[in-house]
């Protein structure tokens, strides 16, 4: 079976997290040139693929493992997200909200965060911030989302704090939000710095290839990955390609690629900090409405805004889309920080959320030594980390309670074909964005 890859990742805009990472221009891997043979080939050098390679190398130190990425590490989705390491079930993650499910999901999320923390400490990865997380509402009608969140937290026994009025304004440095729920276990990071830092942990039996898009794949014994000017053969292939997973022919009508956009300001001046954020520590807030804005006041004194949703089946953005997102970001930013209306955005970029209709991820054995993962539903840093780890366990027949839970909850719903998929997705996104109102 031969598959020609038609769609490839690209750089969508100015990648703010990457370009504010120390040493971001340094290459971390080589290009695939010439013929290579490995025991395992991992497609995708994001959190999922790197996590799998690290765990597989622990289990089989003599295995020859290749990790390949179409872009540079940190340029893909793993380096473009909002940088929340979310420990608790999240509104974007959706799905079940009963207490037992929430506790099991928390256990997995906390496991992933602890594993990432170990690498952060060992390799001095910068911008890690144990800041917790706010879920905030500006619109009164969207406060019901906070009520539902609090109900789940209370029943499951999680720690939280409800805030409003002057106390919330004192915490955030803005009076925009009516109310919020704060949970302490979330971590805020520069995701590009984190995913690039993880490559330092790859042992000698793992070879990293960057700037090497797979142009085709021939499934067989072994499988053959084709590149411009090179090839890799391996009996085991793991596709950690998230929104691009259906390009490889082992998955179909499962994923809905939703594009969203972010902007990041330049560094606030000492005068601006003293005047407007005196005593305010770094923070991040998600919206009580799933289509609302995510906002951060970063540890390096920038402000980050993410909103605007679109369904782009071609898996890439346009200049017009980036321009429209920038305009919405300005409105959202100035509404929250009118005292900074002259503050420019230094970076604006786009990235994809790979969504599934029932919010369950892809975690599949496609047969003949091919495995695929994806559909992280907007919480890809922690979910990708634990999916990669436990896929390595699955391949090596190591059973656990966590692996059993993942397998029981990784049956994504069927998605209709285009044009129904695109029409339905865009109608829903338009409706959700309208309902979010001022929370955008």
């Amino acid at each position: 079976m031969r598959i020609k890859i038609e769609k490839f990742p690209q750089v969508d805009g100015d990648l703010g997290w990457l370009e504010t990472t120390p040493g971001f221009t340094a290459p971390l891997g080589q290009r695939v040139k010439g013929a290579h043979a490995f025991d395992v080939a991992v497609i995708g050098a994001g959190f999922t693929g790197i996590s799998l390679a690290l765990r597989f190398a622990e289990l089989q130190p003599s295995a020859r493992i290749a990790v390949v990425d179409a872009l540079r590490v940190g340029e893909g989705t793993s380096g473009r997200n909002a940088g929340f390491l979310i420990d608790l079930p999240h509104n974007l993650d959706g799905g079940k909200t009963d207490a037992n499910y929430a506790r099991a999901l928390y256990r997995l999320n906390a496991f992933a965060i602890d594993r990432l923390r170990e690498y952060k400490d060992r390799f001095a990865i910068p911008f890690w911030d144990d800041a917790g997380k706010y879920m905030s509402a500006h619109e009164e009608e969207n406060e019901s989302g906070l009520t539902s969140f609090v109900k789940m937290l209370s029943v499951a026994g999680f720690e939280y704090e409800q805030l409003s009025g002057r106390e919330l304004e004192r915490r955030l440095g803005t009076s925009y939000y009516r109310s919020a729920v704060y949970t302490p276990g979330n971590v805020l990071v520069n995701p590009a710095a984190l995913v690039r830092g993880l490559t330092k942990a790859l042992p000698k039996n793992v070879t990293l290839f960057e700037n090497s898009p797979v142009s085709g794949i021939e499934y067989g014994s072994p499988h053959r990955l084709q590149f411009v000017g090179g090839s890799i053969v391996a009996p085991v292939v793991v596709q950690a390609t998230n929104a691009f997973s259906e390009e490889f022919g082992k998955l179909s009508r499962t994923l809905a690629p939703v594009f969203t956009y972010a902007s990041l300001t330049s560094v606030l001046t000492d005068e601006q900090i003293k005047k407007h954020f005196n005593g305010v520590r770094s923070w991040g807030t998600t919206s009580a409405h799933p289509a609302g804005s995510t906002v951060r006041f970063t540890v390096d004194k920038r402000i980050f805004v993410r909103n605007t949703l679109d369904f782009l089946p071609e898996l890439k953005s346009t200049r017009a889309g980036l321009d429209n997102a920038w305009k919405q970001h300005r409105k959202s930013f100035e509404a929250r920080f009118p005292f900074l209306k002259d503050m420019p955005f230094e970076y604006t970029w786009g990235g994809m959320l790979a969504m599934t209709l029932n919010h369950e991820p892809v975690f599949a054995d496609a047969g003949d030594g091919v495995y695929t993962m994806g559909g992280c539903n907007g919480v890809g840093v922690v979910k990708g980390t634990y999916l990669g780890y436990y896929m390595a366990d699955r391949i090596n027949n190591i059973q656990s309670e966590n692996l059993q839970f993942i397998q029981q909850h990784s049956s994504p719903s069927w998605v209709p074909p285009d044009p129904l998929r695109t029409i339905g997705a865009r109608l829903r996104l338009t409706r959700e964005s309208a309902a979010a109102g001022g929370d955008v």
Side-chain angles (χ1 to χ4, degrees):
M1 178 182 177
R2 295 182 180 180
I3 299 293
K4 181 181 178 181
I5 308 303
E6 302 288 349
K7 299 173 184 175
F8 301 93
Q10 68 171 26
V11 174
D12 300 279
D14 310 311
L15 305 185
W17 292 132
L18 178 65
E19 293 192 28
T20 56
T21 295
F24 78 94
T25 60
L28 300 178
Q30 56 189 293
R31 285 185 169 90
V32 177
K33 297 298 178 184
H36 303 267
F38 291 90
D39 299 309
V40 181
V42 183
I43 307 173
F47 288 105
T48 312
I50 291 176
S51 178
L52 182 137
L54 288 168
R55 176 58 172 167
F56 206 104
E58 290 176 4
L59 299 174
Q60 293 197 37
S62 61
R64 298 165 301 159
I65 303 167
V67 180
V68 302
D69 202 278
L71 303 173
R72 296 170 57 225
V73 176
E75 286 184 334
T77 298
S78 286
R80 302 187 202 180
N81 62 72
F84 286 70
L85 276 58
I86 294 173
D87 60 329
L88 297 172
H90 183 233
N91 58 0
L92 269 179
D93 203 20
K96 306 173 185 66
T97 55
D98 64 87
N100 289 333
Y101 177 87
R103 294 188 193 103
L105 191 59
Y106 170 78
R107 185 173 63 245
L108 275 168
N109 292 341
F111 165 80
I113 292 172
D114 287 344
R115 188 161 171 87
L116 291 170
R117 187 188 302 277
E118 290 176 8
Y119 293 124
K120 180 268 298 185
D121 291 341
R122 192 189 315 171
F123 298 102
I125 301 173
F127 303 115
W128 182 282
D129 186 10
D130 288 291
K133 180 179 80 70
Y134 297 86
M135 181 183 287
S136 306
H138 172 76
E139 301 281 325
E140 183 177 2
E141 52 267 37
N142 288 333
E143 288 184 305
S144 60
L146 299 182
T147 302
S148 298
F149 189 46
V150 165
K151 182 178 179 181
M152 183 278 292
L153 295 173
S154 299
V155 172
F158 295 124
E159 182 182 355
Y160 68 93
E161 184 180 3
Q162 291 181 277
L163 299 157
S164 61
R166 293 289 299 170
E167 176 59 19
L168 182 58
E169 181 181 356
R170 185 185 67 80
R171 295 272 196 102
L172 303 183
T174 174
S175 60
Y176 188 77
Y177 297 102
R178 291 175 54 90
S179 57
V181 175
Y182 173 77
T183 51
N186 182 90
V187 178
L188 297 174
V189 299
N190 174 325
L194 180 58
V195 74
R196 286 177 64 83
L198 291 178
T199 65
K200 298 176 183 178
L202 293 172
K204 292 182 179 179
N205 62 316
V206 179
T207 303
L208 175 62
F209 295 96
E210 297 182 293
N211 289 319
S212 299
V214 179
S215 59
I217 184 167
E218 182 176 348
Y219 294 109
S221 183
H223 311 291
R224 180 180 297 273
L225 308 183
Q226 298 167 335
F227 306 82
V228 174
S231 65
I232 289 176
V233 296
V236 175
V237 171
V238 183
Q239 297 165 0
T241 45
N242 211 20
F244 287 86
S245 295
E246 295 189 2
E247 288 296 296
F248 292 86
K250 293 294 185 178
L251 193 70
S252 64
R253 298 182 181 177
T254 302
L255 300 174
V258 176
F259 233 84
T260 188
Y261 302 85
S263 288
L264 187 67
T265 70
S266 51
V267 177
L268 274 66
T269 66
D270 290 342
E271 181 181 353
Q272 288 170 323
I273 295 295
K274 183 177 180 180
K275 184 175 182 180
H276 303 297
F277 296 95
N278 190 28
V280 176
R281 66 155 300 173
S282 56
W283 54 264
T285 182
T286 58
S287 173
H289 192 284
S293 295
T294 295
V295 183
R296 283 183 57 182
F297 175 51
T298 69
V299 71
D300 57 339
K301 309 305 181 189
R302 301 173 186 266
I303 292 176
F304 166 97
V305 177
R306 187 188 74 178
N307 60 43
T308 307
L309 302 172
D310 197 4
F311 184 80
L312 299 177
E314 58 273 25
L315 304 181
K316 60 183 179 181
S317 70
T318 64
R319 297 309 307 180
L322 285 165
D323 187 55
N324 289 335
W326 180 92
K327 292 174 183 176
Q328 178 58 58
H329 293 165
R330 289 310 309 177
K331 293 178 183 178
S332 302
F333 176 81
E334 292 175 18
R336 289 161 174 78
F337 309 102
F339 45 85
L340 296 175
K341 63 181 181 180
D342 295 325
M343 187 78 182
F345 290 141
E346 192 170 354
Y347 309 96
T348 297
W349 68 93
M352 277 181 289
L353 307 174
M355 310 295 290
T356 61
L357 288 186
N358 63 351
H359 296 273
E360 292 195 359
V362 175
F363 186 80
D365 179 348
D368 299 321
V370 179
Y371 302 86
T372 184
M373 296 174 287
C376 289
N377 292 287
V379 286
V381 179
V382 292
K383 183 164 288 189
T385 297
Y386 71 67
L387 289 180
Y389 181 97
Y390 284 106
M391 181 59 84
D393 278 10
R394 179 177 182 174
I395 296 170
N396 287 279
N397 298 311
I398 298 175
Q399 299 300 313
S400 64
E401 184 180 359
N402 280 346
L403 176 57
Q404 183 179 22
F405 176 85
I406 293 169
Q407 291 178 303
Q408 289 173 343
H409 299 282
S410 57
S411 300
S413 299
W414 178 82
V415 174
D418 279 324
L420 294 178
R421 181 181 70 152
T422 298
I423 293 170
R426 286 179 172 164
L427 285 174
R428 180 171 179 178
L429 291 176
T430 299
R431 184 171 65 249
E432 292 287 345
S433 296
D439 282 295
V440 176

